[in-house]
Amino acid sequence: MLAELTHRCPLACPYCSNPLELTARERELDAATWARVFREAAALGVLQLHLSGGEPASRRDLEGITASAAEAGLYTNLITSGVGLTERRLRALEAAGLDHVQLSLQGVNPQSADLIGGYAGGFERKMEVAQLIAAQGFPLTLNAVMHRLNLDDLPRMIEMAVELGARRIEVACVQMHGWAARNRAALMPTRAQAEGAKAEVARARAALKGRLVVDFVPPDYHSDYPKACMGGWGSTGLVVAPDGRVMPCHAAETIPGLVFQNVAEAPLADIWRGPAFSAFRGEDWMQEPCRSCDRRGLDFGGCRCQAMALAGDPAAADPVCRKAPGRGLVDALLSASEASVGGDGAGLAYRRF
């Protein structure tokens, strides 16, 4: 389960998965409600909890929220930019039962990282916090969101993960939803970059086996078949927004006609079995070519939000798929990207309140 504790964040990353319409502080769930949600999640069978945002350290009650999750028996992972964390807070989070820290990394030097993060001094602060995390003994994952402006730096990103003592690096090529969709022209990798990233990940996995786990989320549009988004709609994960709405994934609210229930109004178990989570669960909703495709049990038709964004129909085959009637839409976007000149970040629409 992903718990988005807040949309407040000092960074302004132009690929942020948060919605374009951000939730204000006064609408955030209080700590007592989060504690109840964690208990309900554990009863539902949730094992892992990701405390995210925005920047979760923006909440002064983060330590208490973390303690509630630990008391519910959940494995807790803090997804953070590092800004707002101090040695004192990290000690308090460890005492509260925090199990793991995932630190975002926007670039390999202050110039590139601070350009993307939209926050002067952010890179240096991250490096300081990474040292504090290591000193405290937390297992560390680096989350490197990769795109056209930084994919050429991937080898150095992986080197930094080793230098910082990370156990894992998630090389996550940007997914074109939310703020990233608004900045698609600037962020979409070229085909050469996408192929180079695959080769570099394969090299790093072989060279660093036993030292660093390298996870890889390849860019969607450069694939012949879609990923099994979230392991299939409403099958393995759920997202609780800062105001309490519960969704199968980050971008689900972009699909018209779906009503997402709120934990303030219904138990989590009822929401999990409710109409929004059942809308695209299983295979009954599928149209052709998905309905008769031998891959339907592998990718579940792909991403429903991507089908909505590109084809205008959330029940359509994900246009990334080579078999999809809408594949031409993806090919046109790729051709436009290949024809464009690589930019320096000018004109990015930054994620800000």
Side-chain angles (χ1 to χ4, degrees), residues 5-7 22-23 31 50 126 157-158 175 211 225 231 256 348:
L5 303 181
T6 181
H7 279 161
L22 300 169
T23 299
H50 303 283
K126 285 174 185 290
M157 283 274 197
I158 296 172
Q175 308 298 292
R211 296 177 60 197
Y225 297 104
L348 287 170

Side-chain angles (χ1 to χ4, degrees), residues 9-186:
C9 185
L11 270 60
C13 302
Y15 53 70
C16 184
S17 62
N18 288 161
L20 298 180
E21 189 171 329
L22 300 169
T23 299
R25 179 176 184 170
E26 56 270 18
R27 294 173 55 203
E28 295 172 2
L29 296 180
D30 60 25
T33 303
W34 278 117
R36 173 178 61 78
V37 171
F38 297 154
R39 293 192 297 271
E40 292 179 0
L44 189 61
V46 171
L47 300 176
Q48 296 186 4
L49 175 69
H50 303 283
L51 300 170
S52 183
E55 172 49 62
S58 297
R59 290 198 58 145
R60 296 180 179 178
D61 54 0
L62 175 61
E63 293 84 350
I65 290 173
T66 302
S68 296
E71 289 166 5
L74 301 173
Y75 181 91
T76 52
N77 172 41
L78 179 67
I79 301 176
T80 178
S81 69
V83 180
L85 289 179
T86 62
E87 183 177 2
R88 181 191 62 79
R89 289 201 82 182
L90 284 167
R91 286 200 305 267
L93 286 166
E94 182 183 38
L98 182 67
D99 294 300
H100 184 276
V101 180
Q102 182 171 321
L103 183 67
S104 66
L105 192 61
Q106 285 72 36
V108 299
N109 55 54
Q111 292 72 32
S112 63
D114 294 354
L115 170 68
I116 292 299
Y119 183 80
F123 178 81
E124 297 297 343
R125 182 59 190 151
K126 285 174 185 290
M127 296 301 99
E128 294 169 2
V129 170
Q131 298 297 328
L132 294 175
I133 292 168
Q136 201 64 38
F138 284 113
L140 172 65
T141 293
L142 282 189
N143 179 31
V145 181
M146 309 304 294
H147 44 79
R148 185 169 186 150
L149 299 176
N150 68 0
L151 252 177
D152 295 337
D153 294 327
L154 179 56
R156 178 60 187 143
M157 283 274 197
I158 296 172
E159 287 179 357
M160 290 178 66
V162 175
E163 292 168 2
L164 293 170
R167 299 185 183 182
R168 179 185 300 267
I169 182 171
E170 181 179 353
V171 179
C173 292
V174 67
Q175 308 298 292
M176 297 300 169
H177 300 292
W179 292 88
R182 178 171 285 189
N183 290 291
R184 179 167 26 220

Side-chain angles (χ1 to χ4, degrees), residues 295-320:
R295 292 182 56 85
R296 67 185 182 278
L298 299 175
D299 58 35
F300 308 101
C303 177
R304 300 300 87 223
C305 304
Q306 195 153 259
M308 180 65 219
L310 296 179
D313 180 3
D318 187 332
V320 164

